[in-house]
Amino acid sequence: MEKHLISLNAPLVDAVRALNSLSGKAMTLFAIDGEGRVAGSLTDGDVRRAILGGLGLDGEVSRAVNRDFKRLHSDSIDLERLRAFRQAGVRLVPVLDGESHIVEIIDTATTRTRLPLRAVLMAGGKGERLRPLTLTTPKPLLEIGGKAIIDYNIEALARCGITDISVTVNYMAEKLEEHFSEERGGVRVKCVREDRPLGTIGSASLIEFPEEGDTLVMNSDLLTTVSFEDLYLHHRNAGADITIAAVPYNVSVPYAILTTDGGRVTSLEEKPSYAYYANAGIYIISNRLLRGLPKEQRTDATDLIEEAIASGLHVSYFPISGTWIDIGSPTDFAHARELMRHHLESD
């Protein structure tokens, strides 16, 4: 962070040197006063405009800074505002405390947003349908495009500012624990071992959740481009207790379907198609519900969802647009590898 700071009273030539040292990176400085408070931002364009306006290189930085700079406040980071900055091409966004001191600088090229979520990835399954590949390697560690499947998800979460990430492990737990002994996506991932299979969400009972807030829970063997930012904003704006990410699923019937009333045919529909939404294995769940999971007891995500619906809680869904592949079979795995190969070649 220090390399992006300059004194408000420094000569402009110092700013030129500092910006030059950032060449190839985010070329933005933040000018601070004697108390460490931010007074403005300074880019190469600001310097050029100041010089064209008659300011010499020995003039103070204070006369060249942009005082109407983009910023966020640490007490409550406005996600919509941050997204607007990112979409407008603003690279560095300082986060200020109540006295205008910089708490951190968000680089929107690496951190797309800052979601107030923790995450739990389920990685305990045996991947039996993918044998023999999973006889020696747990499914989340199978590689696609030279990278473990689970790492795509870890990196996507990290880009959304989610750094509290736990992975629940069982089958070949030691290999996953070894894999996460190093940081992934700049995040230190915690492994939580279940001593027996606890279903698709039961292992979350082994994790301590705060009373407030929400957690993103997902299967670790998905390859997806879902926008976690849009998913969270949908969940928050809906005031939901659970939000289920869903994928469109169409069923085509190759026959004429009869609509009947008693013994009478009332209509005939030729080869109809029906559109549904399927559970994508990605959820945002209230911590209050996760804290209530029965300890050390097998529980599937569908059990928790059905109980929430029966209790009158708000269960919402979020349609996924983009890629979503549940890598559960050799065909799925081959499709995912081919898709990633084309993606890497196009890049």
Side-chain angles (χ1 to χ4, degrees):
M1 185 169 72
E2 293 298 323
K3 62 186 178 182
H4 290 285
L5 302 182
I6 192 166
S7 170
L8 192 62
N9 299 321
L12 195 61
V13 67
D14 286 358
V16 173
R17 292 193 185 101
L19 288 169
N20 187 62
S21 71
L22 295 172
S23 180
K25 303 175 184 177
M27 296 179 64
T28 302
L29 300 174
F30 296 100
I32 57 175
D33 64 17
E35 302 298 323
R37 297 183 295 255
V38 181
S41 64
L42 190 72
T43 66
D44 188 56
D46 294 321
V47 171
R48 288 197 305 271
R49 282 186 288 272
I51 292 174
L52 290 173
L55 182 64
L57 290 177
D58 57 348
E60 286 192 357
V61 164
S62 61
R63 297 176 59 189
V65 296
N66 172 19
R67 297 182 183 273
D68 186 25
F69 62 101
K70 310 300 183 187
R71 72 203 84 175
L72 294 169
H73 299 284
S74 61
D75 57 348
S76 180
I77 293 180
D78 187 327
L79 298 181
E80 282 91 350
R81 187 174 171 83
L82 176 55
R83 175 154 69 173
F85 292 161
R86 184 183 76 237
Q87 292 174 342
V90 179
R91 175 76 183 269
L92 297 184
V93 181
V95 179
L96 311 182
D97 63 16
E99 297 181 347
S100 295
H101 299 118
I102 295 182
V103 177
E104 63 173 315
I105 298 175
I106 296 177
D107 185 342
T108 60
T110 56
T111 303
R112 293 180 56 79
T113 186
R114 184 56 60 82
L115 302 182
L117 295 170
R118 57 172 52 195
V120 178
L121 281 71
M122 303 297 172
K126 294 182 178 180
E128 293 177 334
R129 290 185 294 158
L130 276 169
R131 289 181 176 177
L133 294 174
T134 52
L135 288 175
T136 56
T137 304
K139 183 166 65 168
L141 295 186
L142 293 177
E143 291 193 354
I144 293 176
K147 185 186 301 182
I149 296 169
I150 193 171
D151 285 352
Y152 286 102
N153 295 316
I154 297 294
E155 291 172 4
L157 293 169
R159 286 194 297 272
C160 291
I162 301 174
T163 57
D164 187 341
I165 303 175
S166 299
V167 174
T168 63
V169 299
N170 184 315
Y171 178 66
M172 295 191 190
E174 64 285 349
K175 291 197 173 185
L176 282 154
E177 289 167 346
E178 180 183 358
H179 180 77
F180 287 115
S181 63
E182 299 179 359
E183 286 188 355
R184 301 290 167 177
V187 174
R188 178 65 68 180
V189 176
K190 299 181 289 291
C191 286
V192 178
R193 188 184 290 213
E194 54 181 5
D195 57 9
R196 58 189 175 86
L198 293 175
T200 57
I201 204 170
S203 57
S205 67
L206 304 174
I207 299 171
E208 292 294 327
F209 296 95
E211 293 184 6
E212 302 298 324
D214 303 285
T215 294
L216 189 145
V217 180
M218 67 180 292
N219 299 338
S220 65
D221 52 2
L222 303 174
L223 193 65
T224 179
T225 57
V226 62
S227 169
F228 293 118
E229 180 181 45
D230 288 342
L231 173 62
Y232 171 74
L233 291 174
H234 174 91
H235 174 82
R236 187 195 67 181
N237 295 338
D241 298 288
I242 300 176
T243 296
I244 307 167
V247 290
Y249 188 80
N250 297 316
V251 177
S252 297
V253 180
Y255 309 106
I257 298 299
L258 308 182
T259 300
T260 62
D261 182 7
R264 181 182 177 185
V265 175
T266 58
S267 67
L268 186 68
E269 187 174 2
E270 186 70 29
K271 298 180 181 180
S273 293
Y274 301 97
Y276 301 95
Y277 282 110
N279 182 354
I282 305 170
Y283 318 92
I284 295 182
I285 304 174
S286 163
N287 287 339
R288 178 175 52 83
L289 292 177
L290 292 172
R291 285 167 61 89
L293 285 170
K295 301 293 185 182
E296 300 288 338
Q297 179 178 317
R298 182 181 179 89
T299 307
D300 288 329
T302 51
D303 299 328
L304 179 64
I305 293 167
E306 288 172 353
E307 288 178 8
I309 293 171
S311 300
L313 298 180
H314 186 170
V315 177
S316 178
Y317 74 96
F318 174 80
I320 290 178
S321 60
T323 300
W324 179 88
I325 303 175
D326 179 9
I327 305 173
S329 69
T331 301
D332 296 328
F333 186 59
H335 174 53
R337 295 185 76 174
E338 184 68 12
L339 185 68
M340 187 56 64
R341 184 178 70 81
H342 285 297
H343 175 71
L344 293 174
E345 287 178 353
S346 65
D347 284 349

